[in-house]
Amino acid sequence: MKHRETAYALLRVIFGMIFVTTGAVKFIGGLSSFVGGMNQAFSGKLPAAMVTPFAHAIPFCEVAVGVLILLGLFTRVGLVISGLLLIGLTFGVVVLGDSATIAHNLQYGLINFVLLWLVDLNRYSIDGLWQPKAAAGFTS
């Protein structure tokens, strides 16, 4: 069973790292620049009153969710929030008609699903440190 737990940890760390770095890059490039670019991209497609608050929230959500997933801290909550974030992001790229990014988001959604589905394998994490250990010779 440990190989499955190790595989889960590796996928979880990669997935968390993707969120942390994509969010951090938005901060490094300038939050106002990112928000301005989002408003420009969605001009005439979605109202700015809808785009601007979401664009401001995206980098914060990506970094926060990424850290939770990366460390395996409140992993279920982090994965549910990342799934909701992916729904919002996918809605945006569908409106833009960006089929390549839609396909990537679907892949991220599938990874999110697998991680949430198999969250019981999340042994090598902060959450895993808090869970009671199974009795010797018995695994769950």
Side-chain angles (χ1 to χ4, degrees):
M1 185 79 147
K2 292 193 190 244
H3 66 284
R4 292 178 65 204
E5 293 166 344
T6 303
Y8 184 91
L10 292 171
L11 184 61
R12 191 197 75 236
V13 167
I14 291 167
F15 195 61
M17 183 182 62
I18 289 169
F19 273 98
V20 169
T21 55
T22 57
V25 165
K26 291 172 179 78
F27 285 115
I28 292 167
L31 186 57
S32 60
S33 175
F34 171 72
V35 172
M38 290 286 285
N39 278 320
Q40 186 176 15
F42 286 99
S43 178
K45 294 178 172 82
L46 290 174
M50 183 178 172
V51 174
T52 302
F54 190 67
H56 274 98
I58 290 171
F60 293 99
C61 291
E62 286 176 335
V63 170
V65 164
V67 168
L68 291 177
I69 295 169
L70 181 68
L71 298 176
L73 177 63
F74 305 114
T75 308
R76 281 183 177 92
V77 172
L79 289 167
V80 168
I81 295 170
S82 67
L84 294 172
L85 180 60
L86 285 166
I87 289 169
L89 294 169
T90 304
F91 170 77
V93 293
V94 167
V95 168
L96 292 176
D98 183 355
S99 57
T101 306
I102 294 168
H104 285 123
N105 284 5
L106 179 58
Q107 291 171 340
Y108 291 135
L110 288 170
I111 292 168
N112 198 91
F113 168 81
V114 167
L115 287 170
L116 194 53
W117 182 271
L118 299 175
V119 75
D120 292 333
L121 296 174
N122 192 30
R123 180 176 178 185
Y124 303 119
S125 63
I126 293 176
D127 290 342
L129 295 174
W130 296 341
Q131 294 174 351
K133 302 286 187 258
F138 300 96
T139 59
S140 56

